[in-house]
Amino acid sequence: MQTTEHRDEFVSRSYPIQEDMALQRHLWWTERFGWCALTATVLLALAGLFSTGLLSKVVARTPGGELEVTYQRFERNGAASELTLTTRAAPAGQAWVTIEGGLADKFSLESIQPQPAAAQSYDGGLRLQFQADPQGWATARFTIRPDSIGLSRTQIATGNERLGINQLIYP
């Protein structure tokens, strides 16, 4: 049960200064909402919604397991990130990888480790050949840097396996 004094605190008054308590309560509510929104934004940023982090890191595999790509779902324009590609090689020990779409169009490819044994560029894509390890797997690490903003859709293929990856590039 509220006392008379407590209820009087929320009544508008004009002495000693003029107060509009209905407006003041609205401002308090807006301030609390702003603090909650700011806290949620900081927590989401720390979790990786705007760049590197748990919400951003993706490991995508084809159903047959012959191709695996690890990448960041959320990118920032101008900020470098890493994309790792692992694929099963052909019996000859060579793995051909075809990259088409957004990765070729919206990103600068800064480095590839290890360097591909062969590389071919064509309209809309890139075809790379990698040497496999003794277990028959080839792994390549790409350092990429977005050149534009928006949604990037990339197709990565090797042999009969094809994998689509989507990335959102923030300004």
Side-chain angles (χ1 to χ4, degrees), residues 143-159:
T143 302
I144 57 176
R145 186 178 304 272
D147 291 331
S148 63
I149 60 173
L151 185 62
S152 170
R153 297 178 191 269
T154 302
Q155 292 290 321
I156 300 175
T158 182

Side-chain angles (χ1 to χ4, degrees), residues 22-38:
L23 176 63
Q24 186 63 44
R25 291 177 87 177
H26 177 73
L27 291 174
W28 285 333
W29 181 88
T30 304
E31 182 180 6
R32 284 187 195 106
F33 177 79
W35 277 108
C36 290
L38 183 62

